[in-house]
Amino acid sequence: MRTTTGLRTLAVALLTGATLSTTATGTFATAAPPTYAEGHRGGPIRGTVVSRTPIDVRAAPTTHSAVVDRLSPGSRDRVTCKVRGQSVNGNPNWYWLTGARGWVSAAFVDTGRRSVPACADPCRQWKNVG
């Protein structure tokens, strides 16, 4: 079976999860590699604890889970990714902190306006409904 370059490019893009760009004439130009979340482009995302009191690092993205660590105001740690969890002060996002090895409400962590990539949600049952 004969295939065209455009069909081969499309097949490669579909199999690898890549994105395609098109030229003005509507033919396929190239298959680009998959893009990564914005936060990964500029290196690690550092978060700073911005609460007035120490914050608890949790085993799951809810205030009902076990405390695995505690961070002082001004502490810095690497923010790996975020999930939606229990809303804290109106913010449903929780960050996974690499050094602390646990979840912290995004309400208490400043990432310097850097976008934090989403990660797999391990705790769907704690998501806010509505």
Side-chain angles (χ1 to χ4, degrees), residues 3-65:
T3 59
T4 65
T5 302
L7 286 176
R8 285 191 299 268
T9 303
L10 177 59
V12 169
L14 292 173
L15 291 173
T16 63
T19 56
L20 294 173
S21 61
T22 58
T23 63
T25 61
T27 60
F28 296 106
T30 59
T35 57
Y36 296 96
E38 189 176 325
H40 285 284
R41 290 187 184 156
I45 299 170
R46 295 286 177 189
T48 304
V49 174
V50 292
S51 69
R52 293 182 182 172
T53 60
I55 60 169
D56 292 330
V57 179
R58 303 282 183 164
T62 173
T63 59
H64 303 293
S65 70

Side-chain angles (χ1 to χ4, degrees), residues 12 16 23 29 32-33 35-36 40-41 47 61 65 69-70 77-78 82 91 99-100 103 110 123-124 129:
V12 169
T16 63
T23 63
T35 57
Y36 296 96
H40 285 284
R41 290 187 184 156
S65 70
D69 201 353
R70 183 168 259 199
D77 199 345
R78 181 176 176 184
K82 69 180 176 182
N91 189 335
W103 298 100
D110 178 24
C123 305
R124 293 178 194 266
V129 178

Side-chain angles (χ1 to χ4, degrees), residues 47-128:
T48 304
V49 174
V50 292
S51 69
R52 293 182 182 172
T53 60
I55 60 169
D56 292 330
V57 179
R58 303 282 183 164
T62 173
T63 59
H64 303 293
S65 70
V67 175
V68 296
D69 201 353
R70 183 168 259 199
L71 297 174
S72 300
S75 297
R76 292 179 51 85
D77 199 345
R78 181 176 176 184
V79 177
T80 303
C81 58
K82 69 180 176 182
V83 297
R84 290 181 60 89
Q86 177 187 10
S87 184
V88 176
N89 295 342
N91 189 335
N93 295 314
W94 286 69
Y95 296 149
W96 175 262
L97 300 183
T98 304
R101 299 193 51 79
W103 298 100
V104 174
S105 171
F108 302 115
V109 178
D110 178 24
T111 60
R113 297 186 182 181
R114 293 195 56 197
S115 177
V116 176
C119 51
D121 189 347
C123 305
R124 293 178 194 266
Q125 67 268 31
W126 290 299
K127 280 190 175 179
N128 291 330

